[in-house]
Amino acid sequence: MPTVLGLTTDTKPKMAPDTYVSKNKPLANGERLNTISKRNHAAALEIETLLWRALCDKPEKAKEYMADDVVMINPLFSGSNDPVSKYTEPSIEEVLEGNEPWMGFKFHGDPLVVEVDLMAVSLVYKISLFRRYGRKGNKVREVLATCSSSWRQTAGADWLLCAMHVAYADEEAEEEEGSDEE
């Protein structure tokens, strides 16, 4: 079909062989993820992993991943289901500084990530945390928990934790966590 100034009457659009077409799975509404969305999803998984690594190794170091106005419910660290912030007693800083480190953690499957805004994401997932116990510390206890966290990106492209809610996924684990002596 002849073309005049790039216009044609051909109803079938032709693509150049080097044209890139995204192979991502479409979202529920049929739209494909754009590159900003892909970066946000990847960053959310990475920063959540870094946060838990810090919480397990040296809990007080996790503060560098948290916004100044962060709020949290995390009975695994605070020993309570009460919300904590920098204004509560105890504060988040006190909870993290006075906490015994965990041996490690494991996500169960991939965390589910949703973009809240162009510069904000939320995640939900199940996680296992591992802690030594017993008189000699020769036994390992696994604690299964569910978690939801929300992150926002700063103008400097850093991601900061805004809110986190952790709950025991198993009532027995909650009861056992209080009795580590065997």
Side-chain angles (χ1 to χ4, degrees):
M1 170 85 20
T3 303
V4 177
L5 299 175
L7 302 174
T8 181
T9 56
D10 191 358
T11 57
K12 295 180 186 174
K14 301 205 188 245
M15 295 175 60
D18 61 343
T19 302
Y20 174 74
V21 177
S22 173
K23 298 198 177 16
N24 289 329
K25 293 180 183 176
L27 298 173
N29 60 5
E31 294 178 340
R32 297 193 183 278
L33 295 175
N34 62 25
T35 57
I36 293 172
S37 181
K38 288 180 199 176
R39 285 194 302 263
N40 287 349
H41 281 243
L45 297 172
E46 180 181 356
I47 196 69
E48 195 76 18
T49 302
L50 290 172
L51 173 70
W52 278 106
R53 184 75 269 148
L55 286 169
C56 287
D57 291 344
K58 292 188 177 181
E60 65 275 3
K61 295 288 186 187
K63 292 183 290 188
E64 70 183 68
Y65 299 108
M66 298 179 183
D68 285 339
D69 58 346
V70 66
V71 293
M72 182 184 296
I73 296 175
N74 190 337
L76 301 174
F77 288 88
S78 67
S80 158
N81 285 319
D82 295 333
V84 293
S85 72
K86 71 178 183 181
Y87 303 110
T88 61
E89 187 59 42
S91 68
I92 286 180
E93 189 169 313
E94 292 167 337
V95 166
L96 294 176
E97 287 176 357
N99 205 289
E100 179 184 333
W102 291 79
M103 281 178 45
F105 69 96
K106 176 182 85 172
F107 291 114
H108 292 265
D110 290 330
L112 300 178
V113 180
V114 62
E115 269 187 278
V116 177
D117 197 4
L118 184 62
M119 297 172 69
V121 293
S122 284
L123 297 91
V124 293
Y125 53 91
K126 273 189 169 179
I127 190 169
S128 284
L129 292 148
F130 303 92
R131 178 169 275 164
R132 290 192 188 279
Y133 73 102
R135 291 180 199 169
K136 297 179 183 177
N138 57 351
K139 297 180 181 178
V140 176
R141 173 172 291 132
E142 177 181 8
V143 177
L144 183 62
T146 57
C147 184
S148 172
S149 60
S150 297
W151 297 81
R152 68 173 168 243
Q153 191 175 31
T154 66
D158 293 326
W159 287 91
L160 297 175
L161 181 69
C162 302
M164 178 180 243
H165 185 229
V166 179
Y168 288 99
D170 183 359
E171 289 180 21
E172 289 178 19
E174 182 176 3
E175 293 168 8
E176 289 176 6
E177 186 60 22
S179 61
D180 278 346
E181 296 303 313
E182 277 189 22

